[in-house]
């Protein structure tokens, strides 16, 4: 690559010598730091790429996306398994506090399960991230350096139903965002039915978490509703 503030990424030219020179993204800086520096330069439009560096750059992006998708699936599987086990054992209903801005809601022990699992998985895979959750923890940073991405998580949706013993509509949801706040991948798991809706960065599909079978899903082709319409909504407020 070379510095090129006046050209968008991919439009620059390089010498034949530079084109022949292999690029080591780890280099002396180690652990992908050089790769992250290059990625930051590309995003800002300050760097242009030679063909061989662009090929390596896109390969590394695919690897990072694949790693995050693997973490996402591991998170959903482990959270579903843990919450189901807690429910069967009559555990997870200990009250830890309230939810900021929602005085009618409670934070239970089951709400912390997902937070603990995603922190463990990110550390295990060496991912530096900032996790945003609805608990009183607010945001939590994983890793010593600057966060490479953000993770938005609802560890357990419908806490009050779990607290009252009503086995219905228990979900966990997670999304990974890059530094520009663009979604990388996301997933929502139905804890009771053991099914998950996954966006892997390119496609969206329904995953059976027991059989591992997948079925592609897409928006309904009908864009206009015809005929008389009745709409009923339930906002899940605890007072109801």
């Amino acid at each position: 690559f070379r510095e090129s503030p006046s050209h968008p990424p991919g439009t620059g030219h390089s010498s034949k010598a530079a084109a022949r020179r292999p690029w080591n993204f780890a280099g002396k800086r180690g652990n992908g730091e050089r790769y992250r520096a290059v990625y930051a330069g590309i995003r800002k439009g300050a760097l242009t790429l030679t063909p061989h560096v662009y090929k390596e750059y896109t390969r590394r992006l695919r690897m990072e996306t694949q790693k995050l998708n693997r973490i996402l699936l591991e998170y959903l599987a482990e959270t579903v398994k843990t919450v189901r086990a807690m429910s069967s054992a009559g555990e997870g209903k200990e009250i830890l506090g309230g939810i900021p801005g929602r005085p009618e809601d409670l934070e239970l022990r089951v709400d912390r399960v997902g937070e603990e699992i995603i922190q463990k998985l990110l550390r295990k895979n060496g991912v530096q991230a900032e996790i945003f959750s609805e608990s009183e923890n607010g945001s939590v940073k994983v890793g010593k350096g600057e966060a490479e991405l953000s993770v938005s998580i609802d560890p357990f949706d419908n806490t009050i139903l779990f607290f009252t013993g009503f086995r219905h509509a228990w979900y966990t949801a997670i999304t990974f965002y890059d530094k520009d706040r663009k979604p990388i991948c996301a997933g929502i798991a139905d804890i009771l039915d053991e099914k998950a809706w996954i966006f892997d960065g390119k496609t969206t599909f329904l995953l059976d978490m027991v059989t591992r079978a997948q079925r592609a899903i897409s928006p309904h082709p009908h864009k206009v509703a015809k005929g008389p319409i009745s709409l009923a909504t339930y906002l899940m407020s605890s007072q109801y």
Side-chain angles (χ1 to χ4, degrees), residues 145-233:
E146 180 184 359
E148 301 169 340
L149 52 88
S150 300
V151 182
S152 174
I153 179 175
D154 187 348
F156 187 89
D157 190 30
N158 292 333
T159 301
I160 295 299
L161 298 185
F162 182 89
F163 184 67
T164 57
F166 187 22
R167 295 175 60 84
H168 177 70
W170 296 355
Y171 294 96
T172 184
I174 186 170
T175 305
F176 291 85
Y177 297 90
D178 65 16
K179 283 189 174 183
D180 296 324
R181 299 182 180 179
K182 295 179 180 179
I184 302 171
C185 55
I188 301 175
D190 185 323
I191 295 172
L192 295 174
D193 287 346
E194 295 184 274
K195 288 180 172 56
W197 291 261
I198 307 294
F199 169 64
D200 64 6
K202 292 183 178 181
T203 60
T204 309
F205 57 92
L206 175 64
L207 172 67
D208 187 314
M209 303 180 74
V210 177
T211 66
R212 312 303 294 176
Q214 298 182 14
R215 178 171 61 84
I217 54 178
S218 60
H220 199 283
H222 295 168
K223 304 299 181 183
V224 179
K226 298 180 180 179
I229 298 173
S230 297
L231 176 64
T233 63

Side-chain angles (χ1 to χ4, degrees), residues 3 6 18 20 70 78 89 116-117 126 141 173 190 218 222 230:
E3 294 185 2
S6 60
R20 288 194 301 267
R70 176 170 50 79
E78 190 169 343
E116 295 167 357
I117 290 174
K141 289 187 176 181
D190 185 323
S218 60
H222 295 168
S230 297

Side-chain angles (χ1 to χ4, degrees), residues 17 39 51 59 102 112 116 118 120 167 178 198 230 234:
Y39 179 57
R59 185 184 71 84
R102 288 159 55 183
R112 293 286 177 91
E116 295 167 357
I118 190 59
K120 178 190 69 175
R167 295 175 60 84
D178 65 16
I198 307 294
S230 297
Y234 175 38

